[in-house]
Amino acid sequence: MNDGASFQADAREHARIYQAARDLHITYQQGDPPAPGTETPLTLAHLLSCFADAPLPAYVLSPEALAAVPVPGLTAERVAAELRALPSLTVDPDDAPGGPPIDCVQPGEAASKTPSGELTDDMRMRLRAGAAALLDRAMLRSRPLEGTLLDLLAAHVRALLWHPGGEPVRSSAARDSDSAPLSATIAAARRVRDAYEGCGRYDEGLPFAVRIVQSGAASPVTDGLVLGQLHVGCGDFDEAEAVLRPVLALVEQEATGRGLTVAGLTGPSIAEIFRDNSPGPYTSRLTAVDCEVLAQVAAVQHTLCDALYGLRRYPECERLLRTAVGLRLQVLGAAHPAWMLTQLRRARVLGRQRLWREAMGFVHDALVHRDRAELDRDRPRDAALLRLAHAEVTVEAVRSLQEEGAGRSRGVGMFPAPVVRLLDRTVGGNPQPEKLTWDDARRLVEEAASSCERAFGPTHPHTQAARSLRDRAVQGNENGS
């Protein structure tokens, strides 16, 4: 991306880590200090006892890391000296054969030598908070965070997120100091969760998402939405709906509280479309917070529709997508990939109901704006998803139109404002779906498969879905459907 968002996100993360380290000192400087000689001196073995008994990348405990996220009671010099006395090992990355090995230490070897029961609860919380913040920093500085490195760091975040015996960490109102280690642990867990989701390893990211929500320190909307997305990725559509319904109620309530409309024919007015004569966005009467709230509503609706589509509840799915399309057109504009993808998702649902005239009109709407954007260069993942969605609709259209004909249609009076500007072309000017062939479908699927492999990698579920779609197109062509 060229909009500076990545730079701003990095700056915010560095500021948050600095603040977390500062909060650790403030938290543990409050209250009465221990009497001289009564507090056990902390050692590297104590810190390592917070991690899993698994290889730990050595750079997690580097002097630079301990300078950025100091652990109260431990100096970088002391940690470095004790690290040199530990046996080291290297781990070859399975995901990058021939790549540089990852230098690691084995926490279990040192932690097992630590006498049990010698630390106070405050000291244990101090160590857990420091360990979580160090892991969080290590993941922030690991670009890309995937493959073997992700698995190595995830094992140690898991050890912090789950108590011995399998119980998840939870927030407690009994002590303010409990929030410091929990906050740092949840931050690290979110990074692991998001990395697994980005890699398409939904099954591995799901337990982290569940534990984050169970911790009591989660954001009901943001963390609930990601949990729903991971359930959808795993094919757990019933569970996804159960998670996302309350999330949708929360974001709609917030929007309603701001005087915003989120139901019915939502989107820019006809007057705005004709007056502005542009693809949007139409935000002149909205504040920045209004736009953020409406965009969040649309995101939850879009994910919930993915679950409803998996449950084959197509009419209900279409009603929600109609609103999501309008909201995204209003606050993001038709040139934004999120609007294009929602429009293609709507076409997919209409196709499932054999409403191909409207479906192909929505496909054209999305493609007009996609072809004008430099998505392949600036946002390759978005470009790949749009190609995959286009190919999916086309394969289904060819099969359906050749087997069952053009099907039925319906009036356009119920259509929302977001498509009014384009109705002349998409409905009135295109009374029948275009004559698609299996050659057209196969060409689009080949482009989608290549684009997904470049953007996501050969093993990602999106790439596998594109390959499966390619097999269907080849089979359909061979059968002469």
Side-chain angles (χ1 to χ4, degrees):
M1 297 177 60
N2 296 330
D3 56 4
S6 179
F7 174 81
Q8 294 174 3
D10 285 349
R12 285 194 297 268
E13 288 295 341
H14 284 296
R16 188 189 57 73
I17 288 176
Y18 172 81
Q19 185 62 41
R22 184 173 178 273
D23 290 345
L24 281 177
H25 285 289
I26 294 173
T27 298
Y28 294 109
Q29 285 173 357
Q30 293 174 346
D32 296 329
T38 61
E39 188 173 87
T40 303
L42 295 180
T43 66
L44 175 61
H46 290 116
L47 178 60
L48 292 179
S49 67
C50 298
F51 296 103
D53 187 7
L56 173 70
Y59 76 94
V60 173
L61 303 175
S62 68
E64 294 79 11
L66 289 168
V69 186
V71 179
L74 277 177
T75 65
E77 294 77 10
R78 180 171 184 175
V79 170
E82 295 188 26
L83 274 178
R84 287 193 293 268
L86 289 179
S88 60
L89 66 155
T90 57
V91 176
D92 293 323
D94 296 331
D95 53 300
I102 303 171
D103 294 327
C104 297
V105 296
Q106 191 75 24
E109 296 181 9
S112 62
K113 302 175 183 179
T114 303
S116 59
E118 64 180 27
L119 298 181
T120 65
D121 289 343
D122 282 345
M123 295 170 71
R124 289 192 180 93
M125 284 191 296
R126 184 189 312 172
L127 288 168
R128 290 178 67 84
L134 287 167
L135 287 169
D136 192 28
R137 178 186 182 277
M139 287 184 285
L140 174 64
R141 295 175 63 84
S142 302
R143 301 289 179 87
L145 180 58
E146 58 188 15
T148 301
L149 180 59
L150 172 57
D151 293 336
L152 289 174
L153 294 171
H156 301 288
V157 175
R158 186 180 296 109
L160 292 167
L161 193 61
W162 278 264
H163 286 306
E167 287 297 317
V169 297
R170 298 182 185 275
S171 62
S172 173
R175 304 178 53 164
D176 292 338
S177 59
D178 289 349
S179 62
L182 180 63
S183 176
T185 300
I186 295 302
R190 286 192 180 109
R191 206 176 297 282
V192 170
R193 175 201 66 187
D194 295 345
Y196 275 131
E197 183 187 25
C199 296
R201 298 166 64 179
Y202 308 125
D203 289 333
E204 292 163 278
L206 183 59
F208 288 91
V210 171
R211 289 308 196 201
I212 289 170
V213 171
Q214 290 176 340
S215 71
S219 164
V221 172
T222 304
D223 292 319
L225 175 58
V226 178
L227 176 57
Q229 291 169 340
L230 285 167
H231 274 305
V232 169
C234 293
D236 305 329
F237 302 120
D238 285 315
E239 291 85 346
E241 184 185 10
V243 168
L244 291 168
R245 286 291 183 187
V247 176
L248 182 58
L250 285 174
V251 294
E252 287 183 340
Q253 182 179 9
E254 183 178 1
T256 303
R258 300 186 64 84
L260 303 172
T261 300
V262 293
L265 306 183
T266 302
S269 66
I270 297 177
E272 286 178 303
I273 292 175
F274 283 128
R275 181 177 64 249
D276 296 345
N277 191 28
S278 71
Y282 305 91
T283 58
S284 58
R285 291 182 293 179
L286 298 174
T287 68
V289 176
D290 289 340
C291 293
E292 184 177 347
V293 169
L294 291 177
Q296 198 167 48
V297 173
V300 178
Q301 289 174 333
H302 186 108
T303 305
L304 178 56
C305 286
D306 286 341
L308 296 176
Y309 183 86
L311 295 170
R312 301 184 179 182
R313 289 157 56 182
Y314 303 129
E316 184 180 3
C317 185
E318 180 195 355
R319 288 193 296 272
L320 270 179
L321 282 174
R322 184 190 316 171
T323 303
V325 163
L327 290 175
R328 284 184 161 170
L329 179 61
Q330 185 171 29
V331 301
L332 300 177
H336 197 284
W339 179 85
M340 301 180 210
L341 185 60
T342 309
Q343 191 78 316
L344 290 173
R345 287 285 185 263
R346 191 177 178 197
R348 179 180 66 171
V349 173
L350 288 169
R352 285 292 184 180
Q353 300 173 81
R354 303 297 183 262
L355 300 171
W356 287 112
R357 188 174 74 177
E358 293 92 333
M360 299 314 296
F362 291 146
V363 170
H364 284 297
D365 293 345
L367 297 185
V368 164
H369 297 287
R370 185 201 68 182
D371 294 340
R372 294 173 182 170
E374 297 292 339
L375 293 179
D376 287 311
R377 181 192 65 193
D378 298 336
R379 306 176 72 156
R381 287 198 162 196
D382 289 329
L385 284 175
L386 290 171
R387 290 184 188 279
L388 179 57
H390 181 201
E392 184 179 6
V393 173
T394 303
V395 168
E396 182 62 25
V398 172
R399 187 200 65 78
S400 176
L401 294 174
Q402 292 189 358
E403 289 181 359
E404 305 173 26
R408 61 190 184 279
S409 187
R410 63 186 182 190
V412 301
M414 67 179 70
F415 276 24
V419 298
V420 170
R421 180 168 54 88
L422 303 167
L423 285 181
D424 184 59
R425 173 171 57 79
T426 61
V427 178
N430 185 25
Q432 296 295 330
E434 62 183 80
K435 301 298 183 181
L436 297 168
T437 68
W438 280 115
D439 287 337
D440 297 322
R442 187 170 57 182
R443 174 181 57 81
L444 292 174
V445 172
E446 291 285 355
E447 292 175 356
S450 299
S451 185
C452 285
E453 185 163 355
R454 289 193 304 270
F456 296 101
T459 62
H460 196 282
H462 292 322
T463 306
Q464 295 174 3
R467 290 171 178 166
S468 176
L469 201 63
R470 180 175 57 194
D471 294 340
R472 286 178 55 193
V474 171
Q475 183 179 4
N477 195 28
E478 291 176 349
N479 293 339
S481 299

